[in-house]
């Protein structure tokens, strides 16, 4: 009579297989919290693998340490990014402020220059009118004074009353040495009987700039400054010079 060999399902597991299964079971029990109950049974406790055998506890600890390190690095990176963003914002704010301040200074300088160029002054400092406009006398060919005379000793500084361009500078017959300036508003001013001329035709002048020295050249009886305001550079287009200066803010 023939016999059939027993199948493998009744074979006793090897030692390695038993250890592996036991380790897996311990891991599962540890995860579910059943480990403590099983360990209290003396028979099973004797076969319970130690952490050193399974390696589970060291692995968990190492994982936690790596996670904490990564979290610290992330926190440091976030903090660095925030600091960089703050510094960049501060730099941009400072740059914007610097630009605004520079633009404000430029505007202030332009406004100051505009005011200066629009300012009018007396042709002779701390002087007074010694002969008025349209005063009658045989001394003048027209029969009346076409300007005003400012009291001034020979050699007194003569100033341009405002901004403009010199259109005449030289001898003017009865006016002697004279200067005619086209003002920035299109009117003209004349300075006559000068002892010295210190500007030339085409030169631009500014308010208060020294243009010559008073004198007694031409048809005069003594040193002074003859000053005229005109609508053209030519003789006969005169307007009241006192009114003209007052209209431009000069106290006279």
């Amino acid at each position: 009579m023939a016999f059939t060999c027993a199948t493998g399902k009744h074979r006793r597991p090897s030692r390695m297989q038993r250890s592996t299964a036991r380790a897996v079971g311990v891991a599962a029990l540890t995860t579910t919290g059943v480990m403590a109950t099983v360990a209290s049974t003396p028979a099973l406790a004797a076969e319970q693998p130690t952490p050193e055998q399974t390696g589970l506890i060291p692995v968990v600890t190492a994982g936690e340490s790596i996670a904490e390190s990564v979290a610290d690095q992330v926190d440091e990176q976030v903090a660095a990014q925030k600091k960089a963003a703050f510094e960049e914002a501060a730099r941009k704010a400072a740059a914007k402020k610097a630009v605004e301040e520079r633009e404000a200074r430029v505007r202030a300088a332009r406004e100051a220059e505009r005011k200066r160029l629009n300012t009018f002054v007396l042709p002779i400092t701390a002087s007074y009118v010694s002969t008025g406009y349209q005063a009658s006398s045989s001394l003048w060919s027209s029969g009346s004074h076409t300007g005003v005379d400012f009291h001034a000793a020979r050699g007194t500084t003569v100033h341009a009353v405002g901004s403009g361009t010199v259109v005449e500078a030289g001898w003017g017959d009865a006016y002697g040495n004279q200067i005619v300036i086209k003002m920035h508003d299109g009117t003209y001013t004349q300075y006559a009987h000068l002892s010295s001329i210190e500007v030339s035709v085409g030169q631009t002048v500014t308010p208060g700039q020294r243009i010559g020295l008073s004198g007694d050249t031409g048809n005069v009886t003594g040193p002074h400054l003859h000053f005229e305001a005109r609508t053209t550079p030519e003789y006969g287009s005169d307007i009241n010079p006192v009114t003209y200066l007052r209209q431009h803010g000069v106290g006279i």
Side-chain angles (χ1 to χ4, degrees), residues 32-238:
T32 59
V34 181
M35 182 67 179
T37 304
V38 174
S40 63
T41 304
L44 293 179
E47 296 184 2
Q48 180 181 332
T50 63
E52 290 74 9
Q53 292 175 320
T54 63
L56 292 175
I57 300 303
V59 169
V60 171
T61 302
E64 292 177 349
S65 177
I66 293 173
E68 291 176 357
S69 177
V70 171
D72 290 343
Q73 291 179 16
V74 170
D75 290 343
E76 291 176 358
Q77 291 176 358
V78 171
Q81 290 173 353
K82 288 182 178 179
K83 180 180 179 182
F86 176 79
E87 291 176 348
E88 178 65 12
R91 185 191 67 78
K92 289 182 177 180
K96 181 180 179 181
K97 182 179 180 181
V99 170
E100 291 174 347
E101 289 177 348
R102 182 167 59 252
E103 291 176 346
R105 288 194 297 270
V106 170
R107 287 194 300 271
R110 287 176 178 172
E111 180 61 17
E113 181 65 6
R114 186 190 67 79
K115 288 182 178 179
R116 186 182 73 84
L117 294 177
N118 287 329
T119 299
F120 275 67
V121 300
L122 286 170
I124 301 286
T125 301
S127 184
Y128 59 90
V129 174
S130 58
T131 304
Y133 178 59
Q134 292 186 337
S136 297
S137 175
S138 58
L139 294 174
W140 303 297
S141 59
S142 64
S144 63
H145 203 201
T146 53
V148 294
D149 292 341
F150 282 94
H151 174 77
R154 182 180 176 86
T156 302
T157 296
V158 175
H159 305 281
V161 297
S163 301
T165 303
V166 178
V167 294
E168 292 184 31
W171 186 257
D173 296 328
Y175 287 113
N177 292 323
Q178 67 163 354
I179 298 170
V180 178
I181 299 174
K182 181 178 181 180
M183 310 306 290
H184 75 281
D185 63 356
T187 59
Y188 295 80
T189 54
Q190 181 206 36
Y191 313 76
H193 307 311
L194 304 174
S195 62
S196 176
I197 294 174
E198 300 179 4
V199 291
S200 57
V201 173
Q203 181 178 339
T204 58
V205 295
T206 55
Q209 180 178 331
R210 173 169 159 163
I211 58 175
L213 300 176
S214 62
D216 52 5
T217 58
N219 185 17
V220 295
T221 57
H224 65 278
L225 172 69
H226 176 82
F227 175 77
E228 286 188 23
R230 298 173 174 176
T231 57
T232 75
E234 305 302 327
Y235 171 81
S237 64
D238 53 278

